[in-house]
């Protein structure tokens, strides 16, 4: 429904069809079936029941807008897949699966509100064309400039949604070792890359031109920016628990997001699980945290 339309029966369906098709009153057509569509924002109260999990449109729906539903669904699947694999491959207890809802439910709630608010703003913009838009002179120019600005702001949010895709973070996960730092805020189109635990591991290109993500392992990767730091105790703890871990030595990227941390532990879904200026005080406790055994 458009703003101001209180009921579907108030809509002149015939006039709408003819306006869309560009046909006159003499054009005849037959209605085979119809369905009134409601734009809803719905999120399941839980994403798990025992061994059954839901993701994508089964877990959350909102108005079709710029593919946000698909992006969120893919993120759900990536999140759930590595948690399930960790448990099924034997190196994580069933408690690791509690992280799925804890991480994804808040994100989908945020995204649904973003998407709905922008879709409603777009509907209002399309439905209100100022009569002065084609006028010559300063008033027409002002109106066109304002319409252009609004169109740009709304559509950048819709089609260049880097914040939604890369800025989301998990700030209350049972399988992330937090250090008290606050994750940077994001909007639909803008975000600040960060190594704060819970954020996406900031991407960069390495000295040889390859992508950091391509150089990382398929599961956990420990980024080490100082090869002099002995990480043997952390490797031993991971090996003892059966946690797949690749140590990747590299020069500190020339990217503002990479602070003074010497070590950064990145998860299979490329979110930061832990960072530190040196080895953790208890390597085994860290490994147990990120594999869900401390839940």
């Amino acid at each position: 429904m458009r703003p101001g339309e209180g009921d579907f029966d108030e809509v002149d369906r015939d006039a709408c069809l003819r306006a869309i098709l560009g046909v006159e009153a003499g054009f005849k057509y037959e209605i085979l079936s119809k369905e009134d569509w409601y734009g809803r924002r719905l999120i399941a109260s839980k994403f798990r029941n025992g061994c059954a999990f839901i993701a994508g449109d089964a877990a959350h729906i909102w108005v079709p807008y710029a593919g946000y539903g698909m992006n969120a669904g893919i993120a759900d699947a990536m999140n759930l897949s590595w948690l399930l694999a960790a448990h099924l491959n034997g190196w994580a207890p069933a408690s690791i699966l509690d992280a799925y809802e804890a991480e994804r439910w808040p994100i989908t709630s945020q995204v649904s509100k973003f998407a709905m608010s922008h879709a409603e703003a777009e509907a209002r913009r399309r439905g209100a064309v100022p009569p002065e838009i084609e006028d010559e002179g300063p008033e027409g120019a002002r109106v066109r400039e304002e319409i252009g600005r609004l169109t740009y702001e709304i559509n950048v949010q819709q089609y260049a949604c880097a914040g939604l895709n890369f800025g989301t973070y998990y700030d209350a996960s049972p399988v992330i070792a937090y250090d008290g730092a606050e994750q940077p805020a994001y909007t639909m189109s803008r975000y600040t890359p960060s190594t704060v635990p819970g954020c996406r591991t900031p991407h960069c290109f390495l000295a040889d031109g390859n992508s950091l993500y391509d150089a990382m392992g398929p599961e956990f990767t420990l980024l080490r920016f100082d090869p002099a730091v002995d990480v043997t105790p952390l490797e031993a703890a991971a090996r003892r628990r059966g946690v797949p871990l690749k140590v990747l030595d590299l020069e500190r990227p020339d990217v503002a997001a990479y602070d003074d941390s010497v070590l950064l532990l990145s998860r299979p879904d490329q979110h930061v699980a832990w960072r530190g200026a040196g080895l953790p005080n208890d390597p085994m406790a860290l490994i147990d945290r990120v594999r869900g055994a401390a839940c």
Side-chain angles (χ1 to χ4, degrees):
M1 303 296 296
R2 288 182 174 274
E5 294 175 338
D7 187 85
F8 280 105
D9 291 337
E10 297 179 13
V11 178
D12 187 341
R13 303 167 196 265
D14 179 76
C16 291
L17 285 170
R18 294 185 185 281
I20 291 170
L21 296 174
V23 296
E24 302 297 334
F27 180 84
K28 298 185 183 300
Y29 61 87
E30 178 185 357
I31 296 178
L32 300 179
S33 66
K34 71 177 181 68
E35 179 181 357
D36 294 330
W37 181 80
Y38 293 82
R40 296 182 172 93
R41 185 183 76 87
L42 297 174
I43 302 176
S45 58
K46 57 183 179 180
F47 289 1
R48 176 188 183 184
N49 186 10
C51 62
F53 298 81
I54 56 175
D57 286 357
H60 42 75
I61 61 172
W62 44 80
V63 296
Y65 193 70
Y68 293 154
M70 176 171 284
N71 289 355
I74 291 171
D76 291 343
M78 184 62 199
N79 184 286
L80 181 58
S81 64
W82 85 265
L83 297 171
L84 284 170
H87 178 53
L88 296 175
N89 289 335
W91 55 265
S95 53
I96 196 173
L97 300 174
D98 294 337
Y100 173 59
E101 183 177 302
E103 293 185 352
R104 292 304 305 164
W105 196 98
I107 296 300
T108 54
S109 178
Q110 293 173 23
V111 172
S112 70
K113 293 174 182 176
F114 272 134
M116 288 296 290
S117 64
H118 282 83
E120 290 169 352
E122 175 70 356
R124 289 192 297 270
R125 184 190 66 81
R126 287 199 307 261
V129 179
E132 306 89 356
I133 195 166
E134 294 185 4
D135 288 358
E136 299 291 340
E139 181 59 19
R142 185 195 66 77
V143 169
R144 288 189 291 275
E145 181 180 359
E146 178 67 8
I147 292 294
R149 182 185 63 79
L150 291 174
T151 302
Y152 176 84
E153 291 177 355
I154 289 174
N155 284 285
V156 164
Q157 297 276 359
Q158 180 176 185
Y159 296 114
C161 46
L164 166 66
N165 292 328
F166 307 119
T168 53
Y169 53 80
Y170 304 134
D171 60 358
S173 172
V175 295
I176 291 176
Y178 297 103
D179 57 15
E182 185 175 349
Q183 297 87 354
Y186 66 94
T187 66
M188 288 303 251
S189 60
R190 295 184 178 88
Y191 77 105
T192 303
S194 173
T195 61
V196 173
C199 294
R200 185 176 300 277
T201 302
H203 179 265
C204 65
F205 288 100
L206 306 180
D208 59 6
N210 291 323
S211 164
L212 169 63
Y213 290 173
D214 289 340
M216 290 164 58
E219 300 192 72
F220 277 95
T221 301
L222 182 66
L223 305 182
R224 179 168 60 175
F225 303 114
D226 182 354
V229 176
D230 182 12
V231 296
T232 302
L234 191 56
E235 291 181 284
R239 189 163 49 249
R240 183 176 175 185
R241 295 298 198 230
V243 175
L245 176 66
K246 174 181 179 177
V247 177
L248 179 62
D249 286 320
L250 67 162
E251 295 181 4
R252 187 178 304 281
D254 187 18
V255 177
Y258 284 94
D259 55 13
D260 296 332
S261 298
V262 175
L263 301 174
L264 185 148
L265 184 62
S266 184
R267 307 190 320 184
D269 63 350
Q270 298 168 345
H271 280 259
V272 179
W274 169 83
R275 64 178 178 176
L279 275 178
N281 294 329
D282 189 339
M284 187 63 74
L286 173 60
I287 292 298
D288 282 343
R289 166 64 61 184
V290 300
R291 73 184 188 93
C295 299

